[in-house]
Amino acid sequence: MALQVPSRQLFIDGEWREPVLKNRFPIVNPATEQIIGDIPAATSEDVDLAVAAARRALSRNKGKDWASASGAVRAKYLRAIAAKITERKTELGKLEAMDCGKPLDEAVWDIEDVAGCFEYYADLAEGLDAKQKAPVSLPMETFKSYVLKEPIGVVGLITPWNYPLLMATWKVAPALAAGCAAILKPSELASITCLELAEVCREVGLPPGVLNILTGLGPEAGAPLASHPNVDKIAFTGSTTTGSKIMTAAAQMVKPVSLELGGKSPIIVFEDVDLDKAAEWTAFGCFWTNGQICSATSRLIVHEKIAKEFVDRLVKWTKNIKISDPLEEGCRLGPVVSGGQYEKVLKFISTAKSEGATILSGGVRPEHLKKGFFVEPTIITDVTTSMQIWREEVFGPVLCVKTFSTEEEALELANDTHYGLGAAVISNDLERCDRVSKELQAGIVWINCSQPCFCQAPWGGNKRSGFGRELGEWGLENYLSVKQVTQYISDEPWGWYSSPSKL
């Protein structure tokens, strides 16, 4: 029997609540174009309720229930969430594949990472207790000083559709570990598993209001959250255009933001590589998650000596990728997320062609799939650096190719972008890899691979790819505020002013 999409409401103050305006909108399966359910449409009225619930959660019992509870208390809840996610892994993976179109094997892998991320931040929450009151060394013996790390407060978390539950977890897990209360607003294009996270939180007895989950459109739910006066911080993953709007809204109240935005990441392939190994990593770096990865290495910069042979080999690898309904066994490329995204990707490809580039492979709907938002993995050559395809993020399975002759030229091409999220270098000369890694203007560099991501290592970009780091200890610091406490410990008076008693 086909898996049914559960019908859920908004999750506010530990319970399911119908949106104030009672609106819902449909969920479309991108592989079949069929409506498979619907989700609630939150508006500013619901945002107000969720923010009030989060504020109450922080102040309840003078903070002892959550914000100022020991990290060990919060860790217990995070581990319970991880266990429930693991228990429901298969079902959550299927729901995610149906919702956003990623191959089932990938979706299940993501759900495993979700559980791992909650476990990891449970450990860090426990570690926080020992780090409190860390002493600061001072040059004067008459004072002693220490540092407290405190939760920032109520945080708004706005997340994308390409890794629906995993990207939400990258924010939710460290925010809760830090002792914050959160309002999560997932993308309207893929919210199903985030609403299931709400059910998991309900089942494990997470204190009411600690995590509130609002589904809805960006302008109706995301914007009022970003500009809400009682939200202390916004963490956003998504497009650079929306990130800029969020930053503008937050600036009005001098509210901190962390932004993980777009990318147009390079992959440099030198002439000394194993062609098949390099071709597989190049394909994986751009076509994994149906090409919808902010860090996709979508600009291939290949040494001219091997360019023709390498690109021919790469075409063979891509033609071997199984494109199908994400739930079909062995699927390695599913549809892009929506009709709008499908049209956008095809427009990028047609513009590249009209600007004089060559569509070497793919670029069309697969012949065997008459329904669904499918685009064959696409390789584009004869690209110049002024073309749209070289400069703008496609967010689909599209790779553009340029050649180089020297290391300097490769780096110049790699860094020729407004973005700076990821970059990859493939070469058997490890000294060269180290040299190139230092010169690449990106927050993440991969050597002899592309896209691996571990919750222990920092993730984030520079330039227009945003600022702030998620994951690892850096992810926890995102949600902590540092307080300096300094005490005068001498028995002597301070003695700066003349004492009136001695006059």
Side-chain angles (χ1 to χ4, degrees):
M1 189 178 148
L3 181 63
Q4 294 298 305
V5 174
S7 182
R8 302 283 189 205
Q9 298 291 358
L10 303 174
F11 188 66
I12 299 174
D13 213 11
E15 55 188 36
W16 298 112
R17 290 200 191 174
E18 197 177 21
V20 172
L21 301 186
K22 299 186 169 30
N23 292 335
R24 298 180 74 84
F25 51 83
I27 304 164
V28 175
N29 178 334
T32 63
E33 300 181 45
Q34 300 292 307
I35 291 174
I36 53 171
D38 58 22
I39 53 172
T43 54
S44 60
E45 293 86 346
D46 304 296
V47 171
D48 286 342
L49 292 172
V51 172
R55 283 263 156 234
R56 283 195 301 275
L58 289 185
S59 59
R60 194 180 294 119
N61 196 8
K62 294 190 174 164
K64 288 178 191 152
D65 287 6
W66 192 255
S68 58
S70 78
V73 167
R74 297 192 294 269
K76 196 178 68 180
Y77 288 107
L78 295 178
R79 289 204 179 95
I81 291 169
K84 282 272 181 208
I85 297 276
T86 302
E87 217 174 273
R88 294 182 58 188
K89 178 175 75 174
T90 309
E91 172 210 354
L92 291 171
K94 278 187 185 161
L95 287 172
E96 195 131 292
M98 287 159 60
D99 198 11
C100 72
K102 69 167 60 189
L104 180 60
D105 289 347
E106 267 190 49
V108 170
W109 192 3
D110 285 357
I111 303 299
E112 287 170 357
D113 282 353
V114 165
C117 191
F118 274 109
E119 287 280 359
Y120 174 74
Y121 281 106
D123 290 347
L124 288 200
E126 283 179 336
L128 254 184
D129 294 340
K131 290 181 179 171
Q132 293 295 15
K133 293 197 169 181
V136 177
S137 176
L138 300 177
M140 292 175 74
E141 288 174 4
T142 48
F143 294 94
K144 73 172 183 182
S145 185
Y146 61 84
V147 167
L148 292 176
K149 292 194 171 180
E150 300 175 335
I152 274 184
V154 170
V155 293
L157 314 174
I158 303 175
T159 57
W161 43 258
N162 55 342
Y163 291 81
L165 190 52
L166 186 58
M167 293 288 107
T169 300
W170 281 18
K171 292 176 175 26
V172 169
L176 299 194
C180 292
I183 297 99
L184 169 66
K185 207 298 277 181
S187 164
E188 68 276 9
L189 293 176
S191 297
I192 297 175
T193 47
C194 286
L195 288 172
E196 293 313 293
L197 173 63
E199 178 58 16
V200 165
C201 291
R202 212 178 60 78
E203 287 172 9
V204 304
L206 189 71
V210 164
L211 178 62
N212 307 276
I213 301 179
L214 303 179
T215 53
L217 301 171
E220 292 174 10
L225 180 60
S227 61
H228 203 289
N230 292 330
V231 171
D232 301 303
K233 171 171 181 155
I234 295 288
F236 171 77
T237 297
S239 74
T240 299
T241 308
T242 308
S244 175
K245 285 180 186 161
I246 283 171
M247 203 170 162
T248 303
Q252 311 310 308
M253 284 161 287
V254 200
K255 179 183 299 187
V257 292
S258 46
L259 304 174
E260 203 259 84
L261 308 174
K264 191 74 184 177
S265 301
I267 180 166
I268 305 174
V269 177
F270 283 93
E271 72 279 19
D272 60 349
V273 299
D274 175 308
L275 293 183
D276 277 315
K277 273 189 198 166
E280 185 181 9
W281 277 116
T282 302
F284 186 78
C286 189
F287 303 140
W288 191 44
T289 309
N290 310 336
Q292 301 168 126
I293 323 174
C294 44
S295 59
T297 38
S298 56
R299 291 185 300 134
L300 167 61
I301 300 164
V302 58
H303 196 284
E304 60 188 18
K305 269 190 196 163
I306 60 161
K308 183 169 187 331
E309 193 186 353
F310 181 73
V311 172
D312 287 349
R313 191 76 57 94
L314 182 59
V315 168
K316 290 194 176 87
W317 274 88
T318 57
K319 288 199 179 302
N320 205 34
I321 292 172
K322 179 175 176 177
I323 310 170
S324 71
D325 184 296
L327 298 179
E328 231 178 79
E329 194 166 339
C331 173
R332 287 294 176 265
L333 190 93
V336 295
V337 75
S338 67
Q341 194 64 19
Y342 174 75
E343 295 301 333
K344 190 177 148 196
V345 171
L346 292 181
K347 180 85 171 61
F348 266 107
I349 295 166
S350 67
T351 301
K353 198 173 178 180
S354 71
E355 287 183 353
T358 302
I359 314 304
L360 186 68
S361 175
V364 293
R365 165 185 286 285
E367 279 178 21
H368 66 289
L369 293 162
K370 306 298 179 209
K371 272 273 186 213
F373 309 124
F374 292 92
V375 182
E376 282 187 1
T378 306
I379 297 172
I380 301 180
T381 55
D382 302 315
V383 171
T384 67
T385 57
S386 60
M387 287 180 184
Q388 181 199 43
I389 198 69
W390 179 261
R391 309 213 70 79
E392 292 182 29
E393 181 176 42
V394 176
F395 227 66
V398 181
L399 178 74
C400 59
V401 186
K402 276 193 77 58
T403 62
F404 71 92
S405 57
T406 66
E407 189 176 307
E408 289 68 32
E409 189 190 355
L411 280 163
E412 203 172 303
L413 286 166
N415 291 331
D416 175 33
T417 171
H418 291 307
Y419 294 110
L421 185 52
V425 52
I426 301 193
S427 169
N428 285 332
D429 179 344
L430 293 183
E431 273 184 27
R432 170 158 64 193
C433 289
D434 280 346
R435 240 186 357 258
V436 168
S437 297
K438 286 196 183 87
E439 296 300 322
L440 286 164
Q441 295 164 4
I444 302 149
V445 177
W446 295 289
I447 295 176
N448 291 332
C449 60
S450 179
Q451 305 308 315
C453 175
F454 302 93
C455 67
Q456 295 79 5
W459 183 276
N462 48 35
K463 298 199 269 189
R464 288 188 201 168
S465 291
F467 50 83
R469 291 294 178 266
E470 297 199 293
L471 302 184
E473 294 187 10
W474 301 267
L476 186 63
E477 297 292 335
N478 251 335
Y479 300 99
L480 289 169
S481 163
V482 174
K483 181 185 278 182
Q484 174 219 132
V485 180
T486 298
Q487 179 186 352
Y488 183 58
I489 53 172
S490 167
D491 290 334
E492 296 299 313
W494 183 224
W496 181 253
Y497 300 109
S498 301
S499 166
S501 60
K502 290 183 180 167
L503 290 177

